[in-house]
Amino acid sequence: MLKFKRFLVFFLAGIYASTTFAEFQRVSPEDAGYDSKKLKELTGIADRLYNDGRIPNYIISLYKDDKNFFQAAKGKTELEMGASVDEDTIFHTASMSKPMVTTALFRLIQDGKLSLDDPLDKFFPQFNQLMVAPGGDFNNQFEPAKRKITIRDLVTHTSGFSYGQAVAGFGDVGKLYDELQLFSQMGAPDKNLLDHLNNLSEVPLVAHPGEEFNYSVGISVIGAIIQKLTEKDLATYLREILFEPLGMENTGFLLTPSQAKNTSSVYGSQSLDPRARFQPLGKISTQQEPIDWKIAEVIPSAAFTIKPPFYSGGGGILSSAKDYAIYLSMIANNGSLNGVEILKPEFAKLHTASLAPGVSAEGFLRAFGDAAEYMGFGGGFGIKNEPEDNSAVDYIFWGGAFNTFFWVDLEDKSVGLFLTAHWPVQYNISDVLEQIVDEARL
């Protein structure tokens, strides 16, 4: 009997190992249907930022049909020191955490634990009576919210919640977010997730639920709902239903000391604390033509080995280009990859569909500028529509505060990633890179 049990353990372990994603096959751009000469323009754009001392490193990586057909990387995990950046280098993805947390939400929707139309106060009753300060201005007459906030509102950033001034603006309400350090792990280390939720419930909304896109802490609230429903912390639940099944070994909220050695520290052109004195590093090399660094370290990689006071659905996940590409390939493949099903096809399609039709474009314009003319928003993903046909999707995308971003073409299942480690967001070149890749198709 003991021998049979041992056999069963090894048999099941073999099945599990055989279904996790192992490696992307390396092929030439031409083998994947792309012009290698055209794709070299990607490297030129990123190299100019690096050689001018504006970003500490970068990796650009392109994938299609389980194949990696282009990769360019430069720099090290520490300026001119540390490990050379490659597809296994770990970066802080910041708000690129949001799509993955939303995937976990759709898994719970698939399992019948909640629906997009459930009200927020079903899970946290303190949100049952909310006021609106239109435009976030306390000089405006406060109004009772016309309806309750729903899960759909949280997912699509149409809840009326916001962020602090540095991220979203919004005068008086933005100042209040900053004063309360809402969902800040560094600014409010003694507050737990429930403390932040209680404080948030007392802050006026900037718009009525469902009426306007305003980038917000909504996915952090989703993270709290996930924890309440699963009775597990967010890190554990994501690891169990997403990271481990897909074999994403370098993805999570917390680094081991060995992982920290292969993680990029975050550099920036200003401090995370606007009150702190900032001094760019300048020329730190003795080479003949050293780079004049216009940045300095703002978060050392070792900081990511310290457990945060809570796990935030809105940010905090660290990942590598290869790991994040595995996740995006699963999304592009309707919820499955290499025999591992994370979402059933109907829920995977709902995940990437437009979930905020008819919402005022004002918020999109404020957040994304002129490009918002062709934008929509789905389950954690921005949706870029075709300019000539606003009903046709060009690609889905998102990014993070440290100048990381991705895009996925759902039609041909191609994936593009740009990762670096720079604060604040200044080099959102995703549209330019995606257009070059689009034009490189043979």
Side-chain angles (χ1 to χ4, degrees), residues 225-298:
I225 293 171
I226 291 172
Q227 293 192 165
K228 186 166 187 175
L229 287 173
T230 63
E231 298 182 343
K232 298 175 181 179
D233 66 54
L234 189 59
T236 298
Y237 186 66
L238 281 170
R239 185 177 68 248
E240 290 178 355
I241 65 104
L242 188 61
F243 305 151
E244 286 184 350
L246 289 176
M248 297 167 64
E249 298 176 350
N250 288 317
T251 302
F253 285 95
L254 197 62
L255 298 177
T256 64
S258 61
Q259 285 176 319
K261 295 177 182 178
N262 194 37
T263 299
S264 177
S265 293
V266 177
Y267 293 80
S269 54
Q270 66 185 54
S271 171
L272 283 170
D273 183 352
R275 300 166 296 179
R277 181 175 177 271
F278 181 82
Q279 181 63 49
L281 289 175
K283 298 178 180 180
I284 60 176
S285 171
T286 57
Q287 294 180 359
Q288 187 172 359
E289 295 184 5
I291 292 175
D292 182 12
W293 296 107
K294 299 166 180 64
I295 53 179
E297 186 179 74
V298 294

Side-chain angles (χ1 to χ4, degrees), residues 187-201:
D190 297 328
K191 291 183 179 180
N192 61 33
L193 196 51
L194 185 59
D195 292 331
H196 287 283
L197 289 168
N198 288 336
N199 287 339
L200 178 64
S201 70

Side-chain angles (χ1 to χ4, degrees), residues 92-105:
H92 195 302
T93 69
S95 283
M96 278 172 51
S97 307
K98 288 179 170 70
M100 290 192 280
V101 172
T102 308
T103 299
L105 171 73

Side-chain angles (χ1 to χ4, degrees), residues 103 106-108 110 330-331 334-336 341-348 351:
T103 299
F106 275 86
R107 176 67 166 261
L108 291 173
Q110 174 180 292
M330 177 275 295
I331 293 294
N334 284 328
S336 299
E341 183 180 82
I342 304 300
L343 291 173
K344 297 183 186 300
E346 59 267 34
F347 290 95
H351 190 357

